[in-house]
PDB file of all heavy atoms in Angstrom:
ATOM      1  N   ARG Y   1    -180.949 135.268  35.385  1.00 98.00           N
ATOM      2  CA  ARG Y   1    -181.236 134.690  34.113  1.00 98.00           C
ATOM      3  C   ARG Y   1    -182.642 134.903  33.752  1.00 98.00           C
ATOM      4  O   ARG Y   1    -183.560 134.401  34.444  1.00 98.00           O
ATOM      5  CB  ARG Y   1    -180.910 133.208  34.125  1.00 98.00           C
ATOM      6  CG  ARG Y   1    -180.924 132.525  32.694  1.00 98.00           C
ATOM      7  CD  ARG Y   1    -180.783 131.054  32.751  1.00 98.00           C
ATOM      8  NE  ARG Y   1    -182.011 130.418  32.998  1.00 98.00           N
ATOM      9  CZ  ARG Y   1    -182.232 129.045  32.912  1.00 98.00           C
ATOM     10  NH1 ARG Y   1    -181.216 128.280  32.574  1.00 98.00           N
ATOM     11  NH2 ARG Y   1    -183.412 128.554  33.127  1.00 98.00           N
ATOM     12  N   LEU Y   2    -182.913 135.601  32.708  1.00 98.00           N
ATOM     13  CA  LEU Y   2    -184.276 135.802  32.164  1.00 98.00           C
ATOM     14  C   LEU Y   2    -184.561 134.782  31.069  1.00 98.00           C
ATOM     15  O   LEU Y   2    -183.736 134.414  30.313  1.00 98.00           O
ATOM     16  CB  LEU Y   2    -184.431 137.198  31.566  1.00 98.00           C
ATOM     17  CG  LEU Y   2    -184.069 138.375  32.492  1.00 98.00           C
ATOM     18  CD1 LEU Y   2    -184.444 139.677  31.793  1.00 98.00           C
ATOM     19  CD2 LEU Y   2    -184.833 138.227  33.848  1.00 98.00           C
ATOM     20  N   SER Y   3    -185.776 134.295  31.126  1.00 98.00           N
ATOM     21  CA  SER Y   3    -186.237 133.347  30.126  1.00 98.00           C
ATOM     22  C   SER Y   3    -187.431 133.916  29.378  1.00 98.00           C
ATOM     23  O   SER Y   3    -188.232 134.592  29.932  1.00 98.00           O
ATOM     24  CB  SER Y   3    -186.632 132.002  30.737  1.00 98.00           C
ATOM     25  OG  SER Y   3    -185.493 131.394  31.403  1.00 98.00           O
ATOM     26  N   CYS Y   4    -187.548 133.558  28.099  1.00 96.00           N
ATOM     27  CA  CYS Y   4    -188.678 133.904  27.317  1.00 96.00           C
ATOM     28  C   CYS Y   4    -189.188 132.615  26.656  1.00 96.00           C
ATOM     29  O   CYS Y   4    -188.538 132.077  25.775  1.00 96.00           O
ATOM     30  CB  CYS Y   4    -188.350 134.937  26.262  1.00 96.00           C
ATOM     31  SG  CYS Y   4    -189.713 135.455  25.227  1.00 96.00           S
ATOM     32  N   ALA Y   5    -190.403 132.242  26.983  1.00 95.00           N
ATOM     33  CA  ALA Y   5    -191.002 131.045  26.418  1.00 95.00           C
ATOM     34  C   ALA Y   5    -191.986 131.417  25.349  1.00 95.00           C
ATOM     35  O   ALA Y   5    -192.805 132.286  25.493  1.00 95.00           O
ATOM     36  CB  ALA Y   5    -191.752 130.279  27.517  1.00 95.00           C
ATOM     37  N   ALA Y   6    -191.754 130.775  24.183  1.00 91.00           N
ATOM     38  CA  ALA Y   6    -192.574 131.147  23.039  1.00 91.00           C
ATOM     39  C   ALA Y   6    -193.587 129.978  22.706  1.00 91.00           C
ATOM     40  O   ALA Y   6    -193.289 128.813  22.871  1.00 91.00           O
ATOM     41  CB  ALA Y   6    -191.663 131.298  21.743  1.00 91.00           C
ATOM     42  N   SER Y   7    -194.764 130.390  22.284  1.00 90.00           N
ATOM     43  CA  SER Y   7    -195.743 129.467  21.811  1.00 90.00           C
ATOM     44  C   SER Y   7    -196.384 129.960  20.558  1.00 90.00           C
ATOM     45  O   SER Y   7    -196.176 131.125  20.228  1.00 90.00           O
ATOM     46  CB  SER Y   7    -196.793 129.236  22.885  1.00 90.00           C
ATOM     47  OG  SER Y   7    -197.520 130.395  23.153  1.00 90.00           O
ATOM     48  N   GLY Y   8    -196.960 129.101  19.798  1.00 83.00           N
ATOM     49  CA  GLY Y   8    -197.574 129.510  18.577  1.00 83.00           C
ATOM     50  C   GLY Y   8    -196.971 128.670  17.441  1.00 83.00           C
ATOM     51  O   GLY Y   8    -196.991 127.446  17.450  1.00 83.00           O
ATOM     52  N   ARG Y   9    -196.367 129.369  16.518  1.00 73.00           N
ATOM     53  CA  ARG Y   9    -195.795 128.664  15.330  1.00 73.00           C
ATOM     54  C   ARG Y   9    -194.440 129.137  15.024  1.00 73.00           C
ATOM     55  O   ARG Y   9    -194.073 130.307  15.132  1.00 73.00           O
ATOM     56  CB  ARG Y   9    -196.752 129.040  14.079  1.00 73.00           C
ATOM     57  CG  ARG Y   9    -198.151 128.515  14.276  1.00 73.00           C
ATOM     58  CD  ARG Y   9    -199.015 129.008  13.105  1.00 73.00           C
ATOM     59  NE  ARG Y   9    -198.572 128.441  11.800  1.00 73.00           N
ATOM     60  CZ  ARG Y   9    -199.041 127.328  11.346  1.00 73.00           C
ATOM     61  NH1 ARG Y   9    -199.899 126.515  11.991  1.00 73.00           N
ATOM     62  NH2 ARG Y   9    -198.552 126.869  10.164  1.00 73.00           N
ATOM     63  N   THR Y  10    -193.694 128.227  14.530  1.00 72.00           N
ATOM     64  CA  THR Y  10    -192.375 128.399  13.896  1.00 72.00           C
ATOM     65  C   THR Y  10    -191.456 129.376  14.638  1.00 72.00           C
ATOM     66  O   THR Y  10    -190.977 130.377  14.058  1.00 72.00           O
ATOM     67  CB  THR Y  10    -192.525 128.886  12.416  1.00 72.00           C
ATOM     68  OG1 THR Y  10    -193.304 130.075  12.336  1.00 72.00           O
ATOM     69  CG2 THR Y  10    -193.244 127.744  11.631  1.00 72.00           C
ATOM     70  N   PHE Y  11    -191.188 129.144  15.853  1.00 73.00           N
ATOM     71  CA  PHE Y  11    -190.293 129.916  16.649  1.00 73.00           C
ATOM     72  C   PHE Y  11    -188.940 130.077  16.022  1.00 73.00           C
ATOM     73  O   PHE Y  11    -188.312 131.246  16.054  1.00 73.00           O
ATOM     74  CB  PHE Y  11    -190.103 129.311  18.093  1.00 73.00           C
ATOM     75  CG  PHE Y  11    -189.056 130.052  18.855  1.00 73.00           C
ATOM     76  CD1 PHE Y  11    -189.319 131.235  19.500  1.00 73.00           C
ATOM     77  CD2 PHE Y  11    -187.815 129.354  19.074  1.00 73.00           C
ATOM     78  CE1 PHE Y  11    -188.301 131.851  20.284  1.00 73.00           C
ATOM     79  CE2 PHE Y  11    -186.843 129.971  19.817  1.00 73.00           C
ATOM     80  CZ  PHE Y  11    -187.108 131.206  20.438  1.00 73.00           C
ATOM     81  N   SER Y  12    -188.424 129.032  15.353  1.00 74.00           N
ATOM     82  CA  SER Y  12    -187.079 129.098  14.790  1.00 74.00           C
ATOM     83  C   SER Y  12    -187.013 130.095  13.675  1.00 74.00           C
ATOM     84  O   SER Y  12    -185.855 130.465  13.247  1.00 74.00           O
ATOM     85  CB  SER Y  12    -186.683 127.686  14.374  1.00 74.00           C
ATOM     86  OG  SER Y  12    -187.524 127.218  13.355  1.00 74.00           O
ATOM     87  N   ALA Y  13    -188.084 130.517  13.094  1.00 81.00           N
ATOM     88  CA  ALA Y  13    -188.078 131.418  11.961  1.00 81.00           C
ATOM     89  C   ALA Y  13    -188.012 132.900  12.390  1.00 81.00           C
ATOM     90  O   ALA Y  13    -187.988 133.726  11.512  1.00 81.00           O
ATOM     91  CB  ALA Y  13    -189.247 131.195  11.054  1.00 81.00           C
ATOM     92  N   TYR Y  14    -187.972 133.150  13.672  1.00 90.00           N
ATOM     93  CA  TYR Y  14    -188.001 134.513  14.182  1.00 90.00           C
ATOM     94  C   TYR Y  14    -186.639 134.967  14.691  1.00 90.00           C
ATOM     95  O   TYR Y  14    -185.976 134.243  15.377  1.00 90.00           O
ATOM     96  CB  TYR Y  14    -189.030 134.684  15.236  1.00 90.00           C
ATOM     97  CG  TYR Y  14    -190.440 134.533  14.771  1.00 90.00           C
ATOM     98  CD1 TYR Y  14    -191.050 133.307  14.622  1.00 90.00           C
ATOM     99  CD2 TYR Y  14    -191.205 135.644  14.449  1.00 90.00           C
ATOM    100  CE1 TYR Y  14    -192.351 133.148  14.205  1.00 90.00           C
ATOM    101  CE2 TYR Y  14    -192.505 135.524  14.026  1.00 90.00           C
ATOM    102  CZ  TYR Y  14    -193.071 134.287  13.925  1.00 90.00           C
ATOM    103  OH  TYR Y  14    -194.350 134.171  13.416  1.00 90.00           O
ATOM    104  N   THR Y  15    -186.261 136.217  14.357  1.00 94.00           N
ATOM    105  CA  THR Y  15    -185.260 136.881  15.128  1.00 94.00           C
ATOM    106  C   THR Y  15    -185.731 137.274  16.452  1.00 94.00           C
ATOM    107  O   THR Y  15    -186.880 137.778  16.568  1.00 94.00           O
ATOM    108  CB  THR Y  15    -184.733 138.065  14.337  1.00 94.00           C
ATOM    109  OG1 THR Y  15    -184.185 137.699  13.081  1.00 94.00           O
ATOM    110  CG2 THR Y  15    -183.718 138.855  15.158  1.00 94.00           C
ATOM    111  N   MET Y  16    -184.961 137.103  17.483  1.00 95.00           N
ATOM    112  CA  MET Y  16    -185.378 137.417  18.898  1.00 95.00           C
ATOM    113  C   MET Y  16    -184.513 138.482  19.461  1.00 95.00           C
ATOM    114  O   MET Y  16    -183.329 138.563  19.254  1.00 95.00           O
ATOM    115  CB  MET Y  16    -185.269 136.155  19.743  1.00 95.00           C
ATOM    116  CG  MET Y  16    -186.135 134.968  19.255  1.00 95.00           C
ATOM    117  SD  MET Y  16    -187.896 135.359  19.229  1.00 95.00           S
ATOM    118  CE  MET Y  16    -188.225 135.664  20.997  1.00 95.00           C
ATOM    119  N   GLY Y  17    -185.162 139.350  20.242  1.00 97.00           N
ATOM    120  CA  GLY Y  17    -184.429 140.366  20.927  1.00 97.00           C
ATOM    121  C   GLY Y  17    -184.916 140.612  22.402  1.00 97.00           C
ATOM    122  O   GLY Y  17    -186.043 140.166  22.711  1.00 97.00           O
ATOM    123  N   TRP Y  18    -184.027 141.205  23.118  1.00 98.00           N
ATOM    124  CA  TRP Y  18    -184.417 141.637  24.494  1.00 98.00           C
ATOM    125  C   TRP Y  18    -184.307 143.194  24.529  1.00 98.00           C
ATOM    126  O   TRP Y  18    -183.367 143.728  23.986  1.00 98.00           O
ATOM    127  CB  TRP Y  18    -183.521 141.080  25.547  1.00 98.00           C
ATOM    128  CG  TRP Y  18    -183.759 139.635  25.882  1.00 98.00           C
ATOM    129  CD1 TRP Y  18    -183.170 138.576  25.363  1.00 98.00           C
ATOM    130  CD2 TRP Y  18    -184.741 139.152  26.819  1.00 98.00           C
ATOM    131  NE1 TRP Y  18    -183.636 137.417  25.871  1.00 98.00           N
ATOM    132  CE2 TRP Y  18    -184.655 137.799  26.833  1.00 98.00           C
ATOM    133  CE3 TRP Y  18    -185.623 139.747  27.674  1.00 98.00           C
ATOM    134  CZ2 TRP Y  18    -185.422 136.918  27.629  1.00 98.00           C
ATOM    135  CZ3 TRP Y  18    -186.449 138.965  28.442  1.00 98.00           C
ATOM    136  CH2 TRP Y  18    -186.347 137.598  28.449  1.00 98.00           C
ATOM    137  N   PHE Y  19    -185.306 143.863  25.064  1.00 98.00           N
ATOM    138  CA  PHE Y  19    -185.374 145.301  25.275  1.00 98.00           C
ATOM    139  C   PHE Y  19    -185.593 145.542  26.753  1.00 98.00           C
ATOM    140  O   PHE Y  19    -186.095 144.697  27.492  1.00 98.00           O
ATOM    141  CB  PHE Y  19    -186.386 145.927  24.435  1.00 98.00           C
ATOM    142  CG  PHE Y  19    -186.127 145.896  22.917  1.00 98.00           C
ATOM    143  CD1 PHE Y  19    -186.336 144.727  22.178  1.00 98.00           C
ATOM    144  CD2 PHE Y  19    -185.670 147.001  22.322  1.00 98.00           C
ATOM    145  CE1 PHE Y  19    -186.104 144.671  20.824  1.00 98.00           C
ATOM    146  CE2 PHE Y  19    -185.429 146.985  20.892  1.00 98.00           C
ATOM    147  CZ  PHE Y  19    -185.658 145.790  20.228  1.00 98.00           C
ATOM    148  N   ARG Y  20    -185.306 146.797  27.211  1.00 98.00           N
ATOM    149  CA  ARG Y  20    -185.679 147.196  28.505  1.00 98.00           C
ATOM    150  C   ARG Y  20    -186.121 148.599  28.518  1.00 98.00           C
ATOM    151  O   ARG Y  20    -185.800 149.408  27.663  1.00 98.00           O
ATOM    152  CB  ARG Y  20    -184.455 147.028  29.466  1.00 98.00           C
ATOM    153  CG  ARG Y  20    -183.330 147.944  29.151  1.00 98.00           C
ATOM    154  CD  ARG Y  20    -182.049 147.587  30.050  1.00 98.00           C
ATOM    155  NE  ARG Y  20    -180.971 148.461  29.856  1.00 98.00           N
ATOM    156  CZ  ARG Y  20    -179.757 148.287  30.410  1.00 98.00           C
ATOM    157  NH1 ARG Y  20    -179.504 147.217  31.141  1.00 98.00           N
ATOM    158  NH2 ARG Y  20    -178.798 149.154  30.116  1.00 98.00           N
ATOM    159  N   GLN Y  21    -186.947 148.927  29.509  1.00 98.00           N
ATOM    160  CA  GLN Y  21    -187.507 150.224  29.663  1.00 98.00           C
ATOM    161  C   GLN Y  21    -187.663 150.619  31.115  1.00 98.00           C
ATOM    162  O   GLN Y  21    -188.287 149.901  31.863  1.00 98.00           O
ATOM    163  CB  GLN Y  21    -188.888 150.320  28.984  1.00 98.00           C
ATOM    164  CG  GLN Y  21    -189.447 151.750  28.941  1.00 98.00           C
ATOM    165  CD  GLN Y  21    -190.655 151.828  27.979  1.00 98.00           C
ATOM    166  OE1 GLN Y  21    -191.336 150.858  27.780  1.00 98.00           O
ATOM    167  NE2 GLN Y  21    -190.931 153.007  27.555  1.00 98.00           N
ATOM    168  N   ALA Y  22    -186.994 151.714  31.484  1.00 97.00           N
ATOM    169  CA  ALA Y  22    -187.114 152.242  32.806  1.00 97.00           C
ATOM    170  C   ALA Y  22    -188.151 153.336  32.837  1.00 97.00           C
ATOM    171  O   ALA Y  22    -188.461 153.960  31.820  1.00 97.00           O
ATOM    172  CB  ALA Y  22    -185.741 152.795  33.288  1.00 97.00           C
ATOM    173  N   PRO Y  23    -188.806 153.585  33.989  1.00 94.00           N
ATOM    174  CA  PRO Y  23    -189.774 154.626  34.058  1.00 94.00           C
ATOM    175  C   PRO Y  23    -189.267 155.983  33.557  1.00 94.00           C
ATOM    176  O   PRO Y  23    -188.206 156.465  33.886  1.00 94.00           O
ATOM    177  CB  PRO Y  23    -190.079 154.758  35.588  1.00 94.00           C
ATOM    178  CG  PRO Y  23    -189.800 153.344  36.078  1.00 94.00           C
ATOM    179  CD  PRO Y  23    -188.572 152.953  35.326  1.00 94.00           C
ATOM    180  N   GLY Y  24    -190.038 156.590  32.684  1.00 95.00           N
ATOM    181  CA  GLY Y  24    -189.728 157.852  32.119  1.00 95.00           C
ATOM    182  C   GLY Y  24    -188.682 157.825  31.016  1.00 95.00           C
ATOM    183  O   GLY Y  24    -188.311 158.858  30.561  1.00 95.00           O
ATOM    184  N   LYS Y  25    -188.247 156.658  30.631  1.00 96.00           N
ATOM    185  CA  LYS Y  25    -187.197 156.534  29.563  1.00 96.00           C
ATOM    186  C   LYS Y  25    -187.796 155.759  28.366  1.00 96.00           C
ATOM    187  O   LYS Y  25    -188.797 155.057  28.501  1.00 96.00           O
ATOM    188  CB  LYS Y  25    -185.979 155.835  30.068  1.00 96.00           C
ATOM    189  CG  LYS Y  25    -185.304 156.635  31.189  1.00 96.00           C
ATOM    190  CD  LYS Y  25    -184.003 155.951  31.606  1.00 96.00           C
ATOM    191  CE  LYS Y  25    -183.239 156.688  32.608  1.00 96.00           C
ATOM    192  NZ  LYS Y  25    -181.991 156.118  33.069  1.00 96.00           N
ATOM    193  N   GLU Y  26    -187.146 155.874  27.235  1.00 96.00           N
ATOM    194  CA  GLU Y  26    -187.498 155.162  26.067  1.00 96.00           C
ATOM    195  C   GLU Y  26    -187.086 153.686  26.156  1.00 96.00           C
ATOM    196  O   GLU Y  26    -186.154 153.346  26.863  1.00 96.00           O
ATOM    197  CB  GLU Y  26    -186.843 155.770  24.801  1.00 96.00           C
ATOM    198  CG  GLU Y  26    -187.205 157.216  24.566  1.00 96.00           C
ATOM    199  CD  GLU Y  26    -188.637 157.373  24.090  1.00 96.00           C
ATOM    200  OE1 GLU Y  26    -189.132 156.469  23.347  1.00 96.00           O
ATOM    201  OE2 GLU Y  26    -189.323 158.305  24.546  1.00 96.00           O
ATOM    202  N   ARG Y  27    -187.826 152.870  25.446  1.00 97.00           N
ATOM    203  CA  ARG Y  27    -187.487 151.437  25.372  1.00 97.00           C
ATOM    204  C   ARG Y  27    -186.156 151.377  24.620  1.00 97.00           C
ATOM    205  O   ARG Y  27    -186.081 151.892  23.491  1.00 97.00           O
ATOM    206  CB  ARG Y  27    -188.617 150.649  24.710  1.00 97.00           C
ATOM    207  CG  ARG Y  27    -188.401 149.152  24.750  1.00 97.00           C
ATOM    208  CD  ARG Y  27    -189.624 148.412  24.385  1.00 97.00           C
ATOM    209  NE  ARG Y  27    -190.764 148.690  25.365  1.00 97.00           N
ATOM    210  CZ  ARG Y  27    -191.909 148.010  25.401  1.00 97.00           C
ATOM    211  NH1 ARG Y  27    -192.120 147.062  24.477  1.00 97.00           N
ATOM    212  NH2 ARG Y  27    -192.790 148.327  26.242  1.00 97.00           N
TER     213      ARG Y  27
END
C-alpha cells in the first residue's frame, strides 16, 4: 500500500494520479 501525503492548499481541488518509472523507460 502506497500513501501520498499532501500539504499546502486545497488538496480536494486537485486531480491525483500515480505514475511509475523503471530505469531506462518512460514514466
Side-chain angles (χ1 to χ4, degrees):
R1 189 187 84 171
L2 304 185
S3 298
C4 178
S7 62
R9 298 173 64 88
T10 59
F11 171 76
S12 62
Y14 292 84
T15 296
M16 301 297 298
W18 285 95
F19 292 77
R20 66 187 182 188
Q21 187 168 22
K25 296 185 178 180
E26 298 293 320
R27 187 167 298 188

